Amino acid sequence: MSKAKALIFISGNGSNLQNIINNIHSGYINMDIVAVVSDNPEANGLKKAKIAKIETIIIDMSKDDLLNLSKVIDENLIDIFILAGFMKILPEEFINKYNGKILNIHPSLLPKYKGLNTHKKVLKSNDSMHGASVHFVTSELDEGPIIIQGKINVTDEDSEESLKKRVHEIEYQIYPIAIKWFTENHIKQSGNKCLFNNEVLECPIEHLSE
Ligand code: GRF
C-alpha cells in the first residue's frame, strides 16, 4: 500500500502533532507529513515540526494564502488533512473541495459541547462522562460524522486542568487509530455518515481505555 501524504494543521502546542510524528516513527502509521500548516507563527508545535525536519507553512487565511496552499496540496497529491488543535474555521470552499479527506479531533463527546471551553461545560453540567471525538470535517462546526470516541469518568476531584490533561491522554490513543484506519482505506465519509469497511457506522466506534 502506498504511503499516504498528509498536511497537519495546528495553532498551538502541537502535542497531538508530536504524538502523530511518534506514531509514524514507530511504524504504527504509514504516512508522510508533507507540511505542518499554522495560522499562528508563534505556535509551539512549529518547533516540534522543525525538530522532526518537517516543512512548515504559515497562513493568515487570506484568499492568496489559501490559493498558494491549494497549489502545494495539488502538487503533492495530499491524501489527508489532519486538524490537530487548529483554531481557525476553514472556508467552505476548501472543505467542499477536499470533502472526505479532512479529520479533526475535538475534546468532547460530540454531539455534546461543540466549540470552545468543553471541559468547563462538562463541569458546569455535572456530567459523569467526558472524552474526545475524531470526526470528518464538514462545513458545520464540529458536526461531521464521528469515527471514534474515547471516554473518561469525571470524578469529584476533577478540575478544568485535570480534564484537559486526561482528555489529551485519550486523544493520543484515538487520533492515531483513526488516521491509521483512514490511510489503510478502512474508513470513508459518505455524506453525513461514516463508513467502516464500506458499512455505515450507526454510532461512533467506542475506544475502551480506562
Ligand atoms: C486538543 O485538545 C484538541 O482536541 C483540540 O485542540 C487541542 C490541541 O492540543 N482541537 P495540542 O495542540 O495538540 O496539544
Side-chain angles (χ1 to χ4, degrees):
M1 195 175 292
S2 67
K3 237 183 196 186
K5 291 183 181 182
L7 284 188
I8 303 196
F9 289 67
I10 62 162
S11 298
N13 192 33
S15 68
N16 277 285
L17 164 68
Q18 185 63 60
N19 182 53
I20 295 164
I21 294 171
N22 297 347
N23 275 279
I24 292 173
H25 289 170
S26 75
Y28 180 71
I29 301 173
N30 187 25
M31 182 175 84
D32 269 335
I33 304 173
V34 171
V36 169
V37 181
S38 176
D39 62 302
N40 170 13
E42 306 298 326
N44 200 29
L46 291 171
K47 293 186 195 139
K48 296 177 169 125
K50 282 181 184 144
I51 292 170
K53 301 202 166 30
I54 300 168
E55 190 190 327
T56 56
I57 300 173
I58 310 293
I59 52 168
D60 62 12
M61 306 292 287
S62 64
K63 274 217 148 121
D64 278 357
D65 262 10
L66 289 164
L67 205 66
N68 285 337
L69 190 62
S70 268
K71 278 189 197 141
V72 175
I73 293 167
D74 296 339
E75 278 166 20
N76 287 284
L77 304 172
I78 298 297
D79 304 291
I80 175 170
F81 302 84
I82 299 169
L83 311 190
F86 185 62
M87 302 306 285
K88 287 274 160 57
I89 295 177
L90 289 166
E92 199 167 344
E93 207 184 325
F94 184 98
I95 294 173
N96 290 340
K97 184 166 178 194
Y98 302 110
N99 179 44
K101 295 184 174 185
I102 315 173
L103 302 189
N104 183 41
I105 187 147
H106 183 75
S108 81
L109 295 173
L110 290 170
K112 271 192 157 181
Y113 313 129
K114 294 164 190 162
L116 299 174
N117 300 318
T118 58
H119 311 306
K120 197 185 217 161
K121 290 171 186 165
V122 162
L123 290 172
K124 201 168 168 217
S125 309
N126 275 318
D127 288 0
S128 58
M129 298 296 278
H130 187 26
S133 311
V134 179
H135 64 97
F136 283 104
V137 172
T138 59
S139 52
E140 302 299 319
L141 181 71
D142 301 327
E143 279 271 355
I146 304 164
I147 302 159
I148 183 168
Q149 294 185 315
K151 296 181 180 172
I152 57 168
N153 291 309
V154 181
T155 71
D156 291 344
E157 283 78 51
D158 272 314
S159 60
E160 267 185 69
E161 222 18 65
S162 72
L163 288 180
K164 184 177 169 191
K165 191 161 177 280
R166 295 178 62 214
V167 168
H168 259 111
E169 291 303 325
I170 296 292
E171 293 183 349
Y172 302 151
Q173 295 173 33
I174 63 173
Y175 218 0
I177 294 174
I179 294 167
K180 184 180 171 70
W181 283 340
F182 185 91
T183 59
E184 295 178 357
N185 294 320
H186 290 298
I187 51 168
K188 279 192 192 76
Q189 181 185 349
S190 170
N192 61 357
K193 296 275 183 198
C194 173
L195 307 183
F196 190 92
N197 290 342
N198 294 321
E199 302 268 344
V200 172
L201 276 186
E202 295 302 343
C203 57
I205 292 174
E206 189 178 331
H207 177 64
L208 303 171
S209 52
E210 291 203 326

